[in-house]
Amino acid sequence: MNILVNAKESQASLPALPLPEPMPNVDVYHLERELRLGEYPDCRANYDRYLASSAREADVDYLPVKLDIESVSRCNFRCQMCQVSEWTKGQRADDMTLAEFKSLIDEQIGLVEIKLTGMGEPLMGGDSLFDMIRYARERHIWVRSVTNASLLHLHDNYRKIIDSGINELQVSVDGADKEVFETIRGGSKFEKVVENCRLLNGYCKDVGQTRAKMWTVVQQGNVHQLFELVELAEYMGFTSQVFSLDLTNWGQDDWRSRNEAKNLVSHIDSETGWRLVEDGKRRGIKVSFWNIAAKYDTASPENLCPWPFERAYVSSDSRVVPCCMIANPDVLEIAPIKNGFSEVWQGNDYRDFRRAHIDGNIPPACQNCYRAGV
């Protein structure tokens, strides 16, 4: 069966496939949000203002309800589809300190959720990462993070990250065998990642927690291994697997040409998608699909990208970036944080950025996520 289809067919067929859900399920996610809102009246008031707004206004009277926070902007891998592979020594800036993280969390009373990751491998930050997770979780903020799994065996990291109280950990696995995996994820060791995933999921099972989710970026180099990847997920002990079907260009023309070449064949037809879902069920794995092939557009406010109106990305050196699809302030920066994030969020630069989206003047770095012709 041919599993490769063109982009137009993919856009039409994939929305019916299952979308990723929070771990362990959406009910737990909603419960945690209610705990946050119930315990912190200022957070509840901010959330109510957010819900009452159109969420598509240049001037907003609420703080963001979600943030991506980059704890480190350095990585030990050189993945072929990632901008980090071209950074000097795989690093862009210094790590965020625990004090800086706490200050950001304390100021942003509106937060109900954070993704504690960025362009780097979070575990390279050492125990500071676990301290950050605990600090947010003590305030009932939902915490998600991402790892390449290469460092989970060191210093009992596989235990520490679960014991920190993290809600969800996405583990990146982009190949079902050594050759494919190590080709895509430069600098990796396939056997060690597999071993570490088994350690992680084994510990989760021992302590009765469901936290880890396998995440695969589908691309030209691994699209032939989709069913083998589900089989590998079972072997490593995952109960959830996401196939991500879009490669970002990081808002950069050179990466657009490279990743579009890899992305041309990485479209899955609906029939194959459902076969993967059924295969997962037989193995005790919930298979889902993350896809932004159905792009945003400027035809109506509700079709605009939601990021400018509800969340942002804070880099490890305290610079505000529009989103994780750019994730590099050297490409597009709203403003540096000087007197707190709130000043940036409600300042002129962010107001102008939102207005550009509302008016249909989509910034070049954002256009990859919009339909052609914006």
Side-chain angles (χ1 to χ4, degrees), residues 89-162:
K89 297 182 179 180
Q91 180 172 358
R92 186 192 58 77
D94 292 338
D95 296 351
M96 178 177 287
T97 67
L98 180 59
E100 289 169 336
F101 176 83
K102 288 181 175 180
S103 177
L104 179 61
I105 293 295
D106 290 345
E107 181 205 8
Q108 291 309 296
I109 53 89
L111 292 176
V112 298
E113 176 184 342
I114 64 172
K115 184 169 71 174
L116 190 51
T117 185
M119 292 312 305
E121 164 53 44
L123 285 171
M124 294 187 75
D127 286 350
S128 178
L129 172 67
F130 313 128
D131 292 336
M132 291 176 179
I133 296 170
R134 277 191 291 270
Y135 193 78
R137 291 297 301 122
E138 287 166 358
R139 289 149 182 80
H140 293 296
I141 297 173
W142 182 274
V143 181
R144 179 160 47 108
S145 192
V146 178
T147 182
N148 61 29
S150 64
L151 305 176
L152 285 169
H153 64 294
L154 297 177
H155 313 296
D156 284 338
N157 283 338
Y158 70 96
R159 295 174 180 264
K160 290 179 180 178
I161 198 161
I162 300 303

Side-chain angles (χ1 to χ4, degrees), residues 147-314:
T147 182
N148 61 29
S150 64
L151 305 176
L152 285 169
H153 64 294
L154 297 177
H155 313 296
D156 284 338
N157 283 338
Y158 70 96
R159 295 174 180 264
K160 290 179 180 178
I161 198 161
I162 300 303
D163 292 345
S164 69
I166 193 169
N167 297 99
E168 181 173 316
L169 183 64
Q170 293 176 195
V171 183
S172 300
V173 180
D174 292 333
D177 60 36
K178 182 178 179 66
E179 180 180 1
V180 171
F181 185 93
E182 294 182 4
T183 297
I184 292 174
R185 303 185 70 78
S188 65
K189 293 184 178 179
F190 176 70
E191 295 87 354
K192 178 55 67 177
V193 167
V194 170
E195 177 186 341
N196 285 351
C197 288
R198 287 174 61 83
L199 274 175
L200 175 71
N201 289 314
Y203 183 66
C204 285
K205 185 176 181 180
D206 289 343
V207 298
Q209 299 290 340
T210 305
R211 296 290 182 265
K213 174 185 293 181
M214 180 166 145
W215 192 279
T216 298
V217 178
V218 180
Q219 53 198 278
Q220 189 175 26
N222 63 16
V223 71
H224 62 289
Q225 290 191 325
L226 301 182
F227 289 92
E228 288 87 346
L229 282 158
V230 178
E231 182 179 1
L232 177 62
E234 178 188 25
Y235 174 74
M236 294 191 295
F238 288 100
T239 59
S240 178
Q241 179 177 15
V242 178
F243 289 109
S244 178
L245 308 179
D246 287 282
L247 291 172
T248 181
N249 58 39
W250 315 111
Q252 301 166 60
D253 288 340
D254 56 339
W255 278 103
R256 179 178 291 108
S257 60
R258 278 182 281 180
N259 280 349
E260 281 184 355
K262 298 182 184 72
N263 204 33
L264 288 175
V265 296
S266 59
H267 298 286
I268 305 174
D269 66 47
S270 183
E271 181 182 353
T272 301
W274 283 113
R275 287 177 58 215
L276 287 164
V277 170
E278 291 303 315
D279 187 44
K281 286 180 180 179
R282 288 191 293 270
R283 300 177 184 276
I285 300 170
K286 182 183 293 185
V287 173
S288 56
F289 300 84
W290 177 249
N291 176 37
I292 60 167
K295 307 289 188 181
Y296 303 121
D297 65 54
T298 58
S300 59
E302 60 269 20
N303 290 336
L304 294 174
C305 172
W307 274 77
F309 308 96
E310 68 177 29
R311 68 191 299 176
Y313 180 109
V314 178

Side-chain angles (χ1 to χ4, degrees), residues 71-106:
S71 55
V72 302
S73 60
R74 56 193 174 106
C75 189
N76 56 339
F77 282 8
R78 303 293 182 268
C79 300
Q80 63 179 12
M81 66 289 190
C82 180
Q83 60 182 327
V84 175
S85 63
E86 293 191 335
W87 292 354
T88 302
K89 297 182 179 180
Q91 180 172 358
R92 186 192 58 77
D94 292 338
D95 296 351
M96 178 177 287
T97 67
L98 180 59
E100 289 169 336
F101 176 83
K102 288 181 175 180
S103 177
L104 179 61
I105 293 295
D106 290 345

